[in-house]
Amino acid sequence: MTRISSPAELEKLGQEILAKRDPNKPCITICAGTACHTTGSDEVGIAFNEEISRLNLWEQVEVKRTGCHGFCEKGPIVVIYPEGICYFQVQPRDIPEIISQTVMDKRVIERLLYVDPLTKRKIVIESDIPFYKNQTRLVFGNNSKLDPKDIEDYIALGGYSALAKALSEMTPEQVLEVVKRANIRGRGGGGFPVGRKWETCRNVPAEPKYVIVNCDEGDPGAYMDRSLLEGNPHSVLEGLIIGAYAIGSQEGFIYVRQEYPLAVDNAGIAIKLAGEYGLLGENILGSGFNFTVKIHRGAGAFVSGESSALMTAIEGMVGEPRPKYIRTAVEGVWGKPSNLNNVETWANIPLVINNGAEWYTAIGTENSKGTKIFALVGKVNNTGLVEVPMGTTLRDIIYNIGGGIPKGKKFKAVQTGGPSGGCIPEQLIDSPVDFDELTKLGSMMGSGGMIIMDEDTCMVDVAKYFVDFLCDESCGKCLPCREGLKQMQEILTNINEGRGSEGDIQLLEELAQVMADTSLCALGTTAANPVVSTLRYFRDEYEAHIEQKRCPAYVCKELTSYYIDPSKCQACMICLRECPVQAIVGGKNQIHVVEQDKCTKCGTCFEVCPPRFSAVTRISGEPVPPAPPPKERVLVREKK
Ligand SMILES: Cc1cc2nc3c(=O)[nH]c(=O)nc-3n(C[C@H](O)[C@H](O)[C@H](O)COP(=O)(O)O)c2cc1C
Ligand code: FES
């Protein structure tokens, strides 16, 4: 272990680490992110270790466990450097072959390569895969290059040089000035200007001041913050220390959900190592600046990600919000000035300091600078973490990076901004994505969840999904949010189950307005957004549910029936065999019939009916035709 006591020593250490490393020595990197971990990357790592030991190759080969690469659905991911040969869905049984062929012999194993679904071409190098090639990975890029548990990996990539620059060449005021000029906006939801918040906190004449990382990340489908903290914790820590220096804080917290154990572990290791290397604690890099960080493990409530709730939780109480007549930057933890920023926001800071405000403002749009990481999930071919410059269009993200919609289905909408965001329809797919554009469209950036929906999605059902989520997550402290969400849930349930009545839409709109105007915190004020945005773009679907008792997407079970067309059924027995509740009767030569009273509307019969017959149909908004009487069900096959 090396204690570094000046910027010059940090630079020297970086050079020494690089000098010790042979750039031509094969390095096998295994993604150890949460998703790859669940698909077996640990076992893959063990298999590599065993095979290398068996062949006595430790002198010739290096193995590294890295953070999430972002293309999580293809895990476990293995990349072999220096070439960058990338293998997907690697299994322990593949390891001997990878070592003997690729590592030792530089031969590519075709079956483990990525196959481009459009061109059917196999791609060898990770950065050539369209999912990666069309991204700009300024913040997330190092995740796949370093071992998050090894501080020297981060230092070898230039890590902590921004801190050294800030502490040795800049005053706190100058750091603040650069951040303000970079015009960086918070990545956690509201897009509040970072420099302005820092300045407010700095100018409060009270001590001590706190700086805090928000890694609560409770939005369904979002996992960019945890992946960044898991995969590159030092980048977040470096940003936090720089922020503390600019604000005049000597104490910080990383608030991270207990349910993200890898993020908790890796952040803890990063804090410990940074302390040992002299990058945290007393007299950092010989500058006289002191700063310490603690981890606060969050109890896993969505509302606790809200700033005042999060700070209440840090104080040891239940993480509920309070009225914010006075902002938390002025009176936060224990009533002291507390600056809270999102994980991704903090990880941007070293880039801004190292490259300057002009470099940063050249990326993005007029009022949204830099890049943004999105969790691209739902009905899209390539799900994963995507980083693009602000202003990239939804179409580029969904098609050029996401690879389009699976099974040739039509794109219907994209939900951005988490549970408080909104749904943007197909006709607006060419909209550029930045803070202001998304707000204009009735959605928001949020922390970066992006859920893609195809033609089989019912938008009333989507609105209900988010209202159900928020109903569970509302802390219940204020009436408009607690009762408003319950009322919304009831109205939406009625609509989805065929009990919708005239006036429901107006009631939803009124409730939405009251909640927005009177709720205590932003959970309540924005809770109706999914309803409001689906009403704005998909009002006809609400009307069809209410007036015709019809679900146009055939999703709402109470409004949908499955029916086998007697003129098309070929008695192939497939649906009959697959029905999980034996609701289909028939035989080898007998036309099949769905017994409506037994059917649970799971849709299996519709899925499995061979397309050449297409005998199973979905019916909504009209009565199911009567089944033929038993004696008329004998199938007369045409002679060939
Ligand atoms: C209900 C609710 C949940 C929130 N959850 C998060 C979260 O998980 N992570 C986050 O960074 N911000 C979250 N926020 C936003 C924070 O209150 C705060 O604005 C943000 O952490 C500030 O950081 P930024 O300026 O860097 O965006 C949430 C807000 C609300 C109302
Ligand atoms: S966890 Fe491996 S690519 Fe995301």
Side-chain angles (χ1 to χ4, degrees), residues 186-188 197 214 216-217 302 305-307 340-342 345 522:
R187 299 322 199 225
K197 198 194 288 185
N214 190 345
D216 184 56
E217 199 166 53
F302 176 68
E306 190 276 339
S307 57
L340 175 71
N341 280 120
N342 167 264
T345 313

Side-chain angles (χ1 to χ4, degrees), residues 129-453:
I129 296 170
F131 176 80
Y132 293 111
K133 201 172 159 180
N134 295 320
Q135 297 190 40
T136 305
R137 293 189 147 200
L138 301 180
V139 177
F140 202 65
N142 281 346
N143 255 46
S144 58
K145 295 186 191 136
L146 52 79
D147 176 352
K149 294 180 169 51
D150 184 351
I151 191 171
E152 296 204 349
D153 264 9
Y154 184 66
I155 292 173
L157 287 169
Y160 288 107
S161 57
L163 176 65
K165 180 177 174 184
L167 294 183
S168 64
E169 297 171 25
M170 300 165 83
T171 61
E173 293 78 7
Q174 284 170 329
V175 174
L176 181 62
E177 203 43 44
V178 172
V179 172
K180 274 170 67 183
R181 270 197 294 116
N183 200 7
I184 170 169
R185 296 171 67 174
R187 299 322 199 225
F192 193 81
V194 175
R196 251 185 33 220
K197 198 194 288 185
W198 287 19
E199 191 170 43
T200 303
C201 192
R202 182 188 152 78
N203 288 344
V204 180
E207 298 288 339
K209 294 179 165 61
Y210 298 105
V211 286
I212 308 164
V213 177
N214 190 345
C215 187
D216 184 56
E217 199 166 53
D219 315 18
Y223 60 106
M224 49 275 148
D225 291 345
R226 73 185 284 188
S227 297
L228 196 51
L229 193 60
E230 284 170 7
N232 195 354
H234 288 286
S235 66
V236 183
L237 197 51
E238 186 179 2
L240 185 70
I241 308 170
I242 296 170
Y245 174 68
I247 290 166
S249 160
Q250 299 198 345
E251 222 179 305
F253 294 95
I254 298 182
Y255 181 99
V256 50
R257 259 178 194 242
Q258 175 66 14
E259 290 104 310
Y260 300 160
L262 191 58
V264 175
D265 282 356
N266 288 359
I269 293 168
I271 291 172
K272 181 169 171 288
L273 289 175
E276 288 172 4
Y277 276 69
L279 298 158
L280 272 180
E282 303 271 303
N283 193 19
I284 296 171
L285 294 176
S287 65
F289 173 62
N290 308 327
F291 181 64
T292 56
V293 185
K294 287 194 191 108
I295 291 185
H296 185 96
R297 289 171 298 163
F302 176 68
V303 74
S304 299
E306 190 276 339
S307 57
S308 67
L310 182 147
M311 294 191 195
T312 312
I314 288 180
E315 291 172 3
M317 290 177 283
V318 175
E320 283 178 356
R322 61 154 174 80
K324 284 202 287 190
Y325 307 119
I326 302 174
R327 275 177 282 156
T328 48
V330 178
E331 280 184 24
V333 182
W334 294 295
K336 300 296 178 189
S338 305
N339 184 93
L340 175 71
N341 280 120
N342 167 264
V343 169
E344 190 183 335
T345 313
W346 287 118
N348 267 276
I349 300 301
L351 293 171
V352 172
I353 298 300
N354 265 335
N355 299 296
E358 286 65 35
W359 171 83
Y360 196 75
T361 49
I363 308 160
T365 60
E366 195 183 344
N367 287 315
S368 303
K369 300 298 181 189
T371 58
K372 178 76 194 87
I373 306 174
F374 293 99
L376 189 64
V377 297
K379 298 291 175 60
V380 61
N381 277 314
N382 304 331
T383 60
L385 296 178
V386 167
E387 184 178 351
V388 288
M390 297 275 191
T392 305
T393 64
L394 285 166
R395 185 187 295 280
D396 274 341
I397 297 174
I398 297 165
Y399 285 92
N400 292 347
I401 298 170
I405 314 301
K407 298 182 190 165
K409 300 258 174 170
K410 258 185 77 190
F411 166 73
K412 183 167 185 177
V414 50
Q415 206 275 352
T416 71
S420 320
C423 296
I424 301 167
E426 201 267 334
Q427 64 266 29
L428 296 171
I429 195 172
D430 288 309
S431 308
V433 177
D434 74 8
F435 288 108
D436 307 319
E437 283 296 324
L438 289 180
T439 309
K440 247 193 263 167
L441 301 179
S443 186
M444 61 187 212
M445 182 78 85
S447 59
M450 203 175 255
I451 305 173
I452 311 302
M453 298 162 192

Side-chain angles (χ1 to χ4, degrees), residues 31-37 39 41 66-77 132 140 223 227 230 385:
C31 176
T34 293
C36 285
H37 171 75
T39 49
S41 75
T66 71
C68 169
H69 288 223
F71 208 173
C72 306
E73 63 160 85
K74 300 283 180 205
I77 297 179
Y132 293 111
F140 202 65
Y223 60 106
S227 297
E230 284 170 7
L385 296 178

